[in-house]
Amino acid sequence: MVGTIPEHLILSYQLVSSVLIITSNAMADDKPATDNKEDATEPPTKQPKTMLPQAPSSEWPEAWLMPDGECENQKAPNKCEPNVAVSVEELQALGINYWKLDAGAYEYPAISVPWDPSDAVDPKLSQLRDDRGYSYADIITVHPEKLPDYDNKVKAFFEEHIHDAEEIRYILGGSGYFDVRDKSDKWVRIHIKAGDLMTLPEGIYHRFTVDEDDCIHAMRLFKGQPVWTPFNRPQEEHESRVKYVKEFLEEKKEEA
């Protein structure tokens, strides 16, 4: 026959059991969490923004050296005999950028001053606008019936000058020429046509003209407030010219 357990032993057992439970819980709380790579949710990695790439060399406009001396007919091709082609690499070394867009696939007004670049529906033009921060634009048509005082305006465009900001032109229709000075101070003529979007760097000596078709439909893009002011040559002391010469014309010193 089993005897009755004394009350003091029952109390001792209950006390010991309580202590063991408390200790066990404390140890569980102090135990470091087990790394579980499968269950852990990592924050999504932010992908770097992809910039719209420039056109391949095969799509760049034709460029050539112009003959020395005065240009008697600014609208003519004015090629040397034989022709001296200028490569894409040479244009890029002067700071020129170029993209090829499909201007014919979208409608644009003949004239709009200003034109809101946020209205662009061409995805490439929209991306380029965002990539390069273009916030203002206008659209003009250089044609005898569209531009008042046409002949004098075309002559004025052909004066050699610089700007104190990048020049951006997107050709929507027609054609013309951008002339830029190369590293030997010779004129390089670039034949621009519909779909060509070209930028000229701040401080480069350049000029513009329509070709013999007498018509070009173009969009001018700007960062911030529009800058139309031309500074006719000579401008060797101008801050923008000094900056351009330092960045693109001076020979880079080789690192020791």
Side-chain angles (χ1 to χ4, degrees):
M1 179 178 180
V2 179
T4 302
I5 300 174
E7 185 176 351
H8 70 279
L9 292 179
I10 294 175
L11 293 174
S12 298
Y13 174 78
Q14 291 174 339
L15 179 61
V16 170
S17 298
S18 298
V19 171
L20 290 174
I21 291 172
I22 293 171
T23 303
S24 176
N25 290 340
M27 292 176 65
D29 291 340
D30 292 338
K31 184 179 180 182
T34 303
D35 292 332
N36 191 339
K37 295 182 179 179
E38 294 181 356
D39 295 337
T41 302
E42 296 182 0
T45 303
K46 186 176 181 180
Q47 298 295 325
K49 182 178 178 181
T50 302
M51 307 289 280
L52 183 68
Q54 293 191 46
S57 297
S58 59
E59 294 184 359
W60 279 59
E62 183 185 6
W64 57 86
L65 280 182
M66 299 180 70
D68 294 332
E70 291 296 320
C71 181
E72 295 182 2
N73 180 1
Q74 67 186 64
K75 300 177 184 179
N78 288 290
K79 293 185 176 182
C80 296
E81 293 291 344
N83 181 47
V84 181
V86 175
S87 70
V88 171
E89 291 74 20
E90 289 174 289
L91 296 179
Q92 291 173 327
L94 297 174
I96 295 172
N97 298 312
Y98 175 80
W99 292 263
K100 186 68 175 180
L101 279 63
D102 187 1
Y106 306 92
E107 293 186 5
Y108 298 95
I111 299 173
S112 181
V113 182
W115 183 80
D116 189 347
S118 65
D119 291 341
V121 294
D122 180 349
K124 286 187 175 182
L125 179 59
S126 297
Q127 183 177 350
L128 196 63
R129 171 202 66 203
D130 296 340
D131 288 349
R132 300 179 69 82
Y134 300 143
S135 56
Y136 179 97
D138 63 25
I139 297 174
I140 62 171
T141 298
V142 181
H143 182 274
E145 297 179 0
K146 297 291 185 181
L147 184 64
D149 197 20
Y150 174 79
D151 290 331
N152 287 328
K153 290 286 180 62
V154 169
K155 288 179 182 178
F157 294 155
F158 203 59
E159 290 289 334
E160 184 175 3
H161 62 278
I162 66 169
H163 295 294
D164 57 3
E166 178 185 57
E167 180 163 343
I168 309 102
R169 297 293 180 267
Y170 176 29
I171 310 306
L172 305 173
S175 53
Y177 299 116
F178 262 122
D179 298 340
V180 297
R181 291 286 190 181
D182 69 4
K183 295 187 176 185
S184 299
D185 207 36
K186 292 182 178 295
W187 280 118
V188 173
R189 171 150 284 193
I190 307 168
H191 198 188
I192 50 174
K193 302 176 182 179
D196 294 342
L197 194 155
M198 180 176 291
T199 71
L200 304 182
E202 171 187 348
I204 189 173
Y205 281 126
H206 66 284
R207 62 191 183 189
F208 167 79
T209 183
V210 293
D211 59 20
E212 292 173 314
D213 291 334
D214 273 314
C215 182
I216 192 163
H217 184 203
M219 179 185 296
R220 305 186 293 186
L221 294 141
F222 301 88
K223 298 177 182 178
Q225 292 300 313
V227 178
W228 287 287
T229 307
F231 300 93
N232 291 346
R233 190 170 186 173
Q235 293 293 335
E236 301 311 312
E237 303 303 319
H238 192 288
E239 180 181 359
S240 295
R241 180 61 185 175
V242 171
K243 176 182 175 183
Y244 178 78
V245 169
K246 183 176 181 181
E247 185 171 356
F248 294 104
L249 301 186
E250 289 182 351
E251 294 295 331
K252 304 297 183 183
K253 294 182 179 179
E254 296 182 2
E255 296 183 2

